Amino acid sequence: MKLGVVGIIIEGDRKIAGAVNAALSEYADLIIGRMGIPDNEHNIFLISVGVKGSNERISAMTGKIGRFSGVKIKAAVTDVDIE
């Protein structure tokens, strides 16, 4: 298992945030913590997610979320195996 951080930026329509949260819920087994920060003035929402799992599962999650319109996502994953 790998340990990492996923950064998600949602721009524009707040309705997409619900779809992002639903997708995150599908991968709840990977998530060790998360924090959401709304910037209502600029209609931007930031989500930081701590993850622990295989590269394949983390990539599947980021790939699914990255396909939503108005969403940017990046993952930083350690090269240290966590047992």
Side-chain angles (χ1 to χ4, degrees):
M1 291 194 172
K2 304 292 185 180
L3 186 65
V5 176
V6 176
I8 304 167
I9 299 174
I10 302 170
E11 298 178 282
D13 189 0
R14 185 180 183 109
K15 292 178 187 173
I16 201 69
V20 170
N21 282 320
L24 286 171
S25 293
E26 290 179 35
Y27 292 91
D29 59 304
L30 297 177
I31 297 173
I32 58 175
R34 67 192 258 188
M35 176 178 58
I37 304 169
D39 181 350
N40 294 319
E41 180 180 348
H42 299 101
N43 209 28
I44 296 173
F45 310 94
L46 309 170
I47 303 172
S48 176
V49 183
V51 293
K52 181 170 61 172
S54 69
N55 280 335
E56 293 79 15
R57 292 272 295 147
I58 294 168
S59 292
M61 181 186 75
T62 59
K64 180 172 188 161
I65 293 170
R67 287 191 289 275
F68 293 122
S69 177
V71 175
K72 295 179 181 156
I73 187 167
K74 294 288 182 184
V77 181
T78 65
D79 60 353
V80 177
D81 282 319
I82 305 294
E83 293 301 321

